[in-house]
Amino acid sequence: MSEPVVITVRDNGPFLVKGPAQLVDAEGRRIDVGSRSDFVLCRCGHSANKPFCDGAHKQCGFNSDDSTSRID
Ligand code: FES
């Protein structure tokens, strides 16, 4: 049995996807993630390489402020 895909919501940063996930666009076409089993997805909207994070969230001062949506 394979391990589940784990998506980590990073504070003030991207989504870290770990595991055998498939990434598809709005039409269901696969997006190449290369040979990587882990990848990071932009959620700040400033990446020049969307849907992947390129680190631009640091320069734009992205503030996720999502602490109210956490389940403890
Ligand atoms: S979250 Fe990293 S560039 Fe957007």
Side-chain angles (χ1 to χ4, degrees):
M1 188 163 168
S2 63
E3 291 293 315
V5 174
V6 176
I7 302 173
T8 303
V9 180
R10 290 189 163 167
D11 289 339
N12 306 319
F15 297 111
L16 171 61
V17 181
K18 287 187 160 204
Q22 289 187 8
L23 184 61
V24 297
D25 67 12
E27 283 75 43
R29 294 177 296 227
R30 285 184 74 167
I31 297 172
D32 184 17
V33 296
S35 60
R36 295 172 287 183
S37 60
D38 303 348
F39 50 90
V40 286
L41 297 174
C42 176
R43 67 180 176 136
C44 75
H46 290 270
S47 174
N49 189 31
K50 294 182 189 80
F52 303 104
C53 170
D54 68 356
H57 59 273
K58 296 173 190 163
Q59 284 76 42
C60 75
F62 177 61
N63 181 352
S64 55
D65 194 22
D66 57 2
S67 59
T68 58
S69 62
R70 291 187 181 144
I71 300 170
D72 293 323

